[in-house]
Amino acid sequence: MTPEPTLNPPDSSDFLPTTLHQFALSLGNAIDAKDPHTSMHSDEVAEVSWALALAMGIPPGRAAAIHVAGHLHDIGKIGVPDSVLGKRCPLTTAEWQAVRHHPEAGAAILEPVAALNRLGVVDMVLHHHERWDGTGYPHGLKGTAIPLGARIISVADSLSAMLQDRPYRPALTIDRACREIDRCAGSQFDPRVVDAFRLASGNILRLVSAPLACG
C-alpha cells in the first residue's frame, strides 16, 4: 500500500476567502435545485465532510477546503438532463454514462479557478466516486492514491444520499445507513474515515435530516 499523502503545512493562503466559500454554497444549492429529491444534499455533504475532517485531526484550514469541495462535489450534474436525474426506472447505458461523467464535468468546470486547484478542491470533486478497493470511477484509483478529501466526501455523500428519498427508492433509516457505512469500510470507504464517522457520529447525525440516532 502506498504511504498516506502528507498534508502541506498550513499558511495564510490555505484559508478560503468568505466570498469563495459563499459562492461554493450558492452553486451547491443551485445544483440541488435541479432535483427535488436532493434538497440540501450538497450542504449536508459539506457539513458532514467538515465534521469528519476535524474528527480525523485535519487542520481547520484544510478542513475548510474539504468543506468547499463538499458543496461543489455534484456541480458536474449541471450537464445531466433532469429527465435522467429524476428517472424512476433503471437507467440506460447511455444515461448511466452521463451520470458517471459528472465528476469529470465538475472538475472541468472548476479547473479555471486557481484557488480551487491550489487547495485540492478540483481533485476532490474529480475523485469523490472512487472506491477504496479500486472499483470506483472515473479513474479506478485505489486506497491512498485517492485524495484524502475525496475519501471523506465519499462517506458524507453516501450518508446524505441514503437518508433522502430518491426516485428509485425511499430514504433509509439512520440505523440502516450507519450499518451500510460500517459494512462498506475497506471496500467502498477508507476504513480510517469510517472510524472517524463512528467517533463523531453523534455530532454528524445532528447535521443531517434524520430523526433517529445510530444504534
Side-chain angles (χ1 to χ4, degrees):
M1 182 176 293
T2 57
E4 184 74 15
T6 302
L7 292 170
N8 294 328
D11 57 48
S12 59
S13 66
D14 291 328
F15 293 91
L16 290 157
T18 300
T19 51
L20 184 59
H21 210 145
Q22 290 172 339
F23 190 54
L25 171 62
S26 178
L27 287 176
N29 289 342
I31 291 302
D32 291 347
K34 279 174 61 72
D35 183 355
H37 296 280
T38 59
S39 175
M40 299 301 293
H41 171 66
S42 295
D43 189 55
E44 284 189 350
V45 172
E47 293 299 319
V48 172
S49 296
W50 166 261
L52 284 170
L54 294 181
M56 294 183 74
I58 294 173
R62 293 298 182 186
I66 296 170
H67 189 204
V68 166
H71 281 302
L72 297 172
H73 76 286
D74 274 346
I75 190 70
K77 286 185 177 178
I78 197 170
V80 180
D82 294 348
S83 59
V84 173
L85 293 176
K87 192 172 182 180
R88 294 181 177 274
C89 52
L91 300 180
T92 66
T93 299
E95 290 168 340
W96 180 232
Q97 287 175 344
V99 172
R100 284 173 61 100
H101 182 63
H102 82 269
E104 293 168 291
I109 290 168
L110 301 175
E111 196 274 337
V113 184
L116 297 181
N117 269 294
R118 186 182 72 250
L119 293 165
V121 171
V122 175
D123 283 342
M124 293 182 224
V125 170
L126 176 62
H127 295 299
H128 74 276
H129 276 295
E130 306 285 2
R131 292 172 53 111
W132 184 252
D133 62 8
T135 62
Y137 61 91
H139 296 151
L141 299 184
K142 182 177 182 180
T144 57
I146 306 165
L148 178 56
R151 287 179 260 151
I152 289 171
I153 291 169
S154 176
V155 173
D157 184 26
S158 296
L159 176 67
S160 177
M162 286 189 286
L163 296 176
Q164 292 183 338
D165 288 323
R166 292 297 167 94
Y168 46 87
R169 56 135 180 88
L172 275 61
T173 65
I174 190 66
D175 287 339
R176 184 174 174 189
C178 289
R179 289 197 299 270
E180 187 66 11
I181 289 173
D182 277 335
R183 185 183 71 83
C184 293
S187 56
Q188 182 174 355
F189 305 128
D190 178 349
R192 289 181 57 236
V193 181
V194 175
D195 286 343
F197 174 78
R198 296 188 190 107
L199 178 68
S201 62
N203 182 43
I204 287 170
L205 297 178
R206 287 191 291 270
L207 300 173
V208 295
S209 53
L212 301 179
C214 254

